[in-house]
């Protein structure tokens, strides 16, 4: 999913038509007024929360790491709007927005960031390590790419239990070059697991740009060897993300296996 704030992401010349294995990028959905307001509130909450977190980090009130999600708000917001109760989410360390999108209490997240007892991990986990089984949020992981295998495992559990839930597994453009991602792709496709792999392409992994680190920069095609279709989505457009989220969740619930956005 492209999330560059300044420029449109560079698209690969060969396969940027949004089509893969018969799956095409859907048209952005039309929101009702209530949906419009809901999306706006959710995105604004994340933006304001992150501005405060950045400020508190600078002032020394937040220890350890603090990765902000400013500029990527539309991705988690649009995807959350496509979920039903019981659907799960797992992500990396840039996770405050994902937690707020899954309705974890902003107070609990902020208390965790500032190392307080009232924090979601009792002040012991910090920015990268928060969980809520009740809200179906499975972290918060600092090892780049590790959450992809864990998310695939969550999807396996859903399949095994025979429920109809879907797991959203988020990772970055940098994490997309990790080996365990492809081991997970293989098993997810082989066993038709209900997992949506959402690659948030913000064009950098720490300081390294996508073009310097990635042989295939169209991340929607990364599942090609495993017969996992992928769609390029404009992560700056919450309506486009919601449309892609609707398509992907229906795809998974129909038993067709994983999909990459
Ligand atoms: C296994 C592993 N290798 C290296 C690191 C150091 N590291 C932390 S963040 C990061 C870059 C990840 O970039 P990306 O996946 O694009 O996520 P973004 O920060 O852009 O959201 C790296 C290499 C790590 N945490 N884990
Ligand atoms: Mg990145």
């Amino acid at each position: 999913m492209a999330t560059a704030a300044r420029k449109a992401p560079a698209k690969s010349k060969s396969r940027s038509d949004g089509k893969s294995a018969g799956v095409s990028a859907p048209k952005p959905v039309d929101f009702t007024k209530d949906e419009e307001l809901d999306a706006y509130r959710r995105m604004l909450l994340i933006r304001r929360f992150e501005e405060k977190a950045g400020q508190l980090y600078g002032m020394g009130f937040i220890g350890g790491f603090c990765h902000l999600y400013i500029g990527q708000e539309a991705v988690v917001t649009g995807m959350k709007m496509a979920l039903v109760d019981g659907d799960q989410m797992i992500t990396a360390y840039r996770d405050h927005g994902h937690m707020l999108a899954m309705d974890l209490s902003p107070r609990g997240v902020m208390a965790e960031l500032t190392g307080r007892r009232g924090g979601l991990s009792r002040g012991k986990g910090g920015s990268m390590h928060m969980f809520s089984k009740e809200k179906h949020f499975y972290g918060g992981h600092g090892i780049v790419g590790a959450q992809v295998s864990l998310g695939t495992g969550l999807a396996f559990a859903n399949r095994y239990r025979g429920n109809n839930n879907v797991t959203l597994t988020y990772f970055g453009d940098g994490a997309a070059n990790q080996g365990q991602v492809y081991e997970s792709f293989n098993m997810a496709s082989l066993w038709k697991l209900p997992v949506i792999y959402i690659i948030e392409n913000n064009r950098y992994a720490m300081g390294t740009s996508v073009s310097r680190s990635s042989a295939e920069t169209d991340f929607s095609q990364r599942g090609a060897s495993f017969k996992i279709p992928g769609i390029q989505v404009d992560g700056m457009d919450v309506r486009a993300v919601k449309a892609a989220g609707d398509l992907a969740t229906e795809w998974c619930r129909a038993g067709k296996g994983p999909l990459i956005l």
Side-chain angles (χ1 to χ4, degrees):
M1 213 171 256
T3 55
R6 293 181 198 93
K7 277 194 213 160
K11 287 182 178 175
S12 93
K13 279 181 196 133
S14 54
R15 289 169 301 191
S16 61
D17 57 358
K19 286 187 183 157
S20 170
V23 186
S24 310
K27 287 207 173 67
V29 293
D30 288 325
F31 280 162
T32 62
K33 191 179 172 194
D34 283 347
E35 285 171 330
E36 201 86 58
L37 282 171
D38 182 43
Y40 183 63
R41 276 201 193 97
R42 285 176 178 279
M43 290 191 289
L44 192 64
L45 170 67
I46 297 171
R47 176 66 62 99
R48 293 288 177 261
F49 184 97
E50 293 293 63
E51 285 169 354
K52 279 292 162 203
Q55 200 178 4
L56 290 171
Y57 187 69
M59 293 165 76
F61 288 112
I62 295 174
F65 289 95
C66 183
H67 307 90
L68 303 181
Y69 195 61
I70 287 177
Q72 300 182 207
E73 297 89 345
V75 179
V76 286
T77 302
M79 287 307 297
K80 163 66 183 172
M81 292 172 84
L83 300 186
V84 300
D85 194 37
D87 290 343
Q88 301 154 323
M89 185 187 289
I90 187 165
T91 188
Y93 47 80
R94 197 178 298 289
D95 55 354
H96 312 159
H98 300 70
M99 292 186 273
L100 297 177
M102 288 302 270
D103 298 321
L104 274 67
S105 128
R107 186 180 284 260
V109 180
M110 193 56 93
E112 186 60 38
L113 294 183
T114 49
R116 286 161 209 271
R117 204 177 300 155
L120 289 166
S121 298
R122 300 189 191 181
K124 304 284 187 196
S127 168
M128 302 194 285
H129 304 112
M130 282 178 254
F131 308 86
S132 170
K133 207 176 158 196
E134 182 202 347
K135 304 279 188 191
H136 313 289
F137 179 77
Y138 288 85
H141 297 269
I143 307 297
V144 167
Q147 79 278 13
V148 181
S149 305
L150 298 175
T152 306
L154 288 167
F156 179 83
N158 288 331
R159 185 85 207 280
Y160 188 76
R161 289 173 179 145
N163 64 33
N164 209 18
N165 285 122
V166 166
T167 307
L168 306 187
T169 298
Y170 288 85
F171 53 108
D173 47 277
N177 293 329
Q178 288 288 81
Q180 63 187 306
V181 170
Y182 298 94
E183 297 176 47
S184 304
F185 280 3
N186 184 50
M187 284 189 265
S189 182
L190 187 65
W191 295 332
K192 296 229 176 306
L193 302 182
V195 53
I196 306 172
Y197 295 112
I198 302 158
I199 306 178
E200 296 195 65
N201 177 12
N202 56 16
R203 303 170 73 206
Y204 288 91
M206 300 191 78
T208 307
S209 73
V210 158
S211 58
R212 286 183 60 214
S213 61
S214 299
E216 172 56 274
T217 57
D218 180 350
F219 292 95
S220 70
Q221 301 301 322
R222 288 294 185 98
S225 299
F226 307 95
K227 300 182 181 166
I228 305 178
I231 304 171
Q232 266 200 14
V233 185
D234 179 1
M236 294 285 108
D237 181 348
V238 70
R239 296 171 193 83
V241 177
K242 167 72 162 61
D246 287 342
L247 182 150
T249 49
E250 277 166 32
W251 175 274
C252 285
R253 284 191 231 286
K256 294 180 184 174
L259 197 81
I260 295 172
L261 301 178

